[in-house]
Amino acid sequence: MTIFTCILLGFLVVCAVAASLSKNLLNTILIFMSYSLVMSIIWILLESPDLAITEAAVGAGVTTVLFVVTLKKIHAVIRSNDDSEEKEEGNKENE
Amino acid sequence: MSKKVSQEQYEKTFSYKFKRWLDGARDPFLDTVEMKPQKEFCEEEEVVRQHDEDRKQHIRHVYDMEHNAEMRIFHRVYKIFSILFCVFLVAMLLEAVSELPTFGEPDNPVNNEVAERYIEKGLQETGAINIVTGMILDYRAFDTLGESHVLFIATCTVLILLRVDKKESRDADETDDRSYEPKDDVILQTAAKLLVPPIFIFGIYIILAGHLGPGGGFSGGAVIGAGLILYQNAFGFAKTEEFFTAKTYRIMSFGALACYSIAKSYSFYTGANHIESMIPLGTPGAILSSGLILLLNICVGIVVAGTMYTFYAMFRKGGH
């Protein structure tokens, strides 16, 4: 069990550093979400399941959704080029 | 109106004009001043470039970075001092941490008579098996009341920030927002149909069993809020607003907070005046036990669930 905890803690540190170093904001949010998810498992290992439930629902769920919505609102999510081309082709086919 | 002056004559007088102007019936500038709709303001590229150069020259002349020795010294000293300050701060914090007592020692100052009383007499005094819930909703219920109000105030603040006033702009914004995502996504809708009912039931279970096991109002409310967001994502605002609108949230939130305040006022009143509380603690372990805790849990859960979803809805389409 200790080894498992150590692996999780290491993952936590990696996630925290990666979230602050990542240049893409969407990647940062996803890394932050995985941070919360690992944190909720660690809460269970620390024998506080009520905190684990809250962390999973708020940290990994609601906060991430709010972040993504905000990114979309400020037009920070950039669609990759080939994806938009595919969409255009699809639109033409539909027409 | 008196008949001393006829209507036509009266209309020519200054007082009549003044009265009309006062009532706002007549625009004084109409037909006297040439009016054109204003052109949209946009700076030309040349002007922008000129401004930029002007600013650069201005900075160069005022500060004169190459020749201003005072400025140069200041910048260098500033850098050195900032590094020194950071090192000093880190050293101070590390020193403070090393002075802390070892984690988990029985002689630590945290393990005082307060914690002892909570652990030893918690079950007897609050009737809640889950000692954490007993603490936050009985001994420290006043704190939890403040926390619930913080959520409510946060919603009000977001409403102020993201408020959309005009109806036209709101409609435009909504259609714009919807055009981003696939409508009627089969995968998402099927997943939501399967997942949302268990999520709701799990959240309700967490809230209702808050005094019996791990959980409580906040976690359960957050789970229900997440379920609501998933449902909204799959089926859209039109379907969600059949049962949950901003008005519903207002009523729910106000009702829950008022209920919490009244329930806690009762117990504070009886406690302060040494009156025996009318609410029985019940047998520990039963669902209807531990006095007011179950009611308070439900109140907190309602506030949290509503707040979570309302945050999301306001982020998506603005408040109104």
Side-chain angles (χ1 to χ4, degrees), chain B residues 190-219:
Chain B
T190 317
K193 261 180 206 159
L194 286 175
L195 278 176
V196 168
I199 288 175
F200 277 6
I201 290 170
F202 183 53
I204 291 167
Y205 162 75
I206 292 173
I207 292 175
L208 291 184
H211 54 298
L212 306 176
F218 193 85
S219 7

Side-chain angles (χ1 to χ4, degrees), chain A residues 49-50 53-54 57-58 61-62 65-67 69-70 72-73 75 79 87, chain B residues 132 173 177 180-181 206 214-215 218-219 222-223 229 308 311-312 315-316:
Chain A
D50 40 356
I53 296 166
T54 316
V58 176
V62 178
V65 171
L66 288 184
F67 272 136
V69 170
T70 314
K72 205 177 76 184
K73 278 273 167 190
H75 302 286
R79 204 181 276 154
K87 279 234 162 162
Chain B
V132 179
D173 204 35
D177 197 38
Y180 271 93
E181 46 204 43
I206 292 173
F218 193 85
S219 7
V223 170
I229 290 174
M308 291 294 165
F311 268 171
Y312 175 74
F315 271 54
R316 275 289 300 279

Side-chain angles (χ1 to χ4, degrees), chain A residues 26-61:
Chain A
L26 195 63
N27 285 356
T28 311
I29 293 171
L30 293 180
I31 294 165
F32 190 64
M33 185 180 107
S34 57
Y35 175 92
S36 286
L37 218 59
V38 173
M39 196 66 215
S40 77
I41 299 170
I42 290 176
W43 283 126
I44 292 175
L45 295 175
L46 291 172
E47 295 179 7
S48 52
D50 40 356
L51 270 182
I53 296 166
T54 316
E55 180 80 36
V58 176

Side-chain angles (χ1 to χ4, degrees), chain B residues 16-314:
Chain B
Y16 175 74
K17 283 178 187 167
F18 182 72
K19 189 174 170 296
R20 279 193 67 193
W21 176 77
L22 202 67
D23 293 342
R26 180 180 156 274
D27 189 349
F29 289 124
L30 211 66
D31 296 330
T32 56
V33 180
E34 192 184 6
M35 282 194 285
K36 261 194 224 167
Q38 202 172 13
K39 244 194 281 177
E40 206 174 320
F41 177 75
C42 62
E43 271 184 307
E44 283 167 35
E45 243 175 75
E46 185 71 19
V47 179
V48 172
R49 210 162 46 81
Q50 189 68 35
H51 273 231
D52 225 34
E53 256 170 39
D54 280 356
R55 211 178 61 236
K56 271 181 197 161
Q57 224 161 31
H58 182 77
I59 288 171
R60 212 180 305 138
H61 276 292
V62 171
Y63 297 114
D64 194 17
M65 292 310 254
E66 281 94 27
H67 303 101
N68 193 338
E70 206 179 308
M71 218 50 193
R72 214 166 49 226
I73 292 168
F74 171 75
H75 271 270
R76 203 162 289 164
V77 171
Y78 183 81
K79 274 178 198 163
I80 294 168
F81 264 98
S82 60
I83 291 167
L84 279 180
F85 179 72
C86 278
V87 170
F88 171 71
L89 201 68
V90 169
M92 208 172 71
L93 289 174
L94 285 177
E95 177 66 23
V97 167
S98 69
E99 295 270 316
L100 284 177
T102 325
F103 181 72
E105 290 283 318
D107 305 333
N108 281 355
V110 253
N111 299 328
N112 53 11
E113 71 279 354
V114 179
E116 211 171 277
R117 186 186 170 105
Y118 286 164
I119 292 168
E120 280 175 1
K121 292 200 171 171
L123 180 61
Q124 188 189 333
E125 284 179 351
T126 65
I129 293 177
N130 183 3
I131 203 165
V132 179
T133 310
M135 226 183 281
I136 61 170
L137 284 175
D138 198 296
Y139 291 116
R140 299 184 179 179
F142 200 59
D143 290 5
T144 314
L145 177 64
E147 280 161 24
S148 313
H149 278 97
V150 163
L151 283 173
F152 186 68
I153 292 163
T155 322
C156 295
T157 318
V158 174
L159 182 65
I160 292 166
L161 283 174
L162 299 179
R163 190 176 171 82
V164 183
D165 278 326
K166 283 177 187 161
K167 200 168 185 321
E168 304 95 62
S169 66
R170 188 164 79 221
D171 290 345
D173 204 35
E174 251 172 76
T175 48
D176 180 36
D177 197 38
R178 286 298 292 170
S179 67
Y180 271 93
E181 46 204 43
K183 286 173 189 172
D184 300 330
D185 191 349
V186 179
I187 298 172
L188 191 59
Q189 286 195 346
T190 317
K193 261 180 206 159
L194 286 175
L195 278 176
V196 168
I199 288 175
F200 277 6
I201 290 170
F202 183 53
I204 291 167
Y205 162 75
I206 292 173
I207 292 175
L208 291 184
H211 54 298
L212 306 176
F218 193 85
S219 7
V223 170
I224 292 180
L228 269 174
I229 290 174
L230 176 61
Y231 182 83
Q232 194 283 324
N233 255 316
F235 297 103
F237 277 112
K239 261 205 148 164
T240 319
E241 279 176 356
E242 282 172 13
F243 63 91
F244 196 99
T245 56
K247 200 179 173 193
T248 327
Y249 168 69
R250 257 173 259 157
I251 294 167
M252 259 169 52
S253 196
F254 171 74
L257 287 176
C259 186
Y260 193 114
S261 307
I262 290 166
K264 240 16 238 184
S265 306
Y266 173 74
S267 77
F268 283 144
Y269 180 77
T270 53
N273 292 302
H274 304 288
I275 302 167
E276 194 66 30
S277 174
M278 297 284 284
I279 298 152
L281 284 181
T283 45
I287 185 87
L288 286 174
S289 67
S290 65
L292 286 166
I293 288 180
L294 181 63
L295 178 69
L296 300 187
N297 253 335
I298 293 170
C299 290
V300 174
I302 288 171
V303 173
V304 173
T307 305
M308 291 294 165
Y309 175 71
T310 312
F311 268 171
Y312 175 74
M314 282 197 291

